[in-house]
């Protein structure tokens, strides 16, 4: 995520934690790299994304 959005890793980590706390995403361990996580949108996150995309 940090690379995709050209963010510092600490900034990306804080933003990810905020999105997770709000229930927009959840993290699962990356099976190929146990130090990393895969991010997935929740139903709430998907709904919010489409609401803001239409605005």
């Amino acid at each position: 995520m940090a690379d995709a959005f050209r963010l510092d890793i600490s900034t990306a980590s804080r933003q990810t934690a905020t999105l997770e706390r709000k229930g927009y995403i959840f993290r699962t361990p990356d099976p190929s790299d146990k130090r990393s996580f895969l991010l997935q949108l929740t139903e709430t996150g998907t709904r919010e994304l489409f609401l803001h995309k239409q605005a």
Side-chain angles (χ1 to χ4, degrees), residues 1 6 13 36:
M1 190 168 99
R6 295 183 178 180
S13 181
S36 299

Side-chain angles (χ1 to χ4, degrees), residues 5-18:
F5 291 104
R6 295 183 178 180
L7 297 172
D8 181 77
I9 291 174
S10 63
T11 300
S13 181
R14 283 193 308 274
Q15 296 301 322
T16 300
T18 299

Side-chain angles (χ1 to χ4, degrees), residues 3-33:
D3 288 340
F5 291 104
R6 295 183 178 180
L7 297 172
D8 181 77
I9 291 174
S10 63
T11 300
S13 181
R14 283 193 308 274
Q15 296 301 322
T16 300
T18 299
L19 292 170
E20 190 174 27
R21 261 193 319 275
K22 290 183 176 189
Y24 296 156
I25 63 169
F26 64 91
R27 293 190 277 181
T28 56
D30 184 343
S32 65
D33 180 356

Side-chain angles (χ1 to χ4, degrees), residues 19 23-26 39-47 49-50:
L19 292 170
Y24 296 156
I25 63 169
F26 64 91
L39 304 176
Q40 188 168 346
L41 282 173
T42 63
E43 286 184 34
T44 301
T46 301
R47 190 170 37 252
L49 176 65
F50 285 107

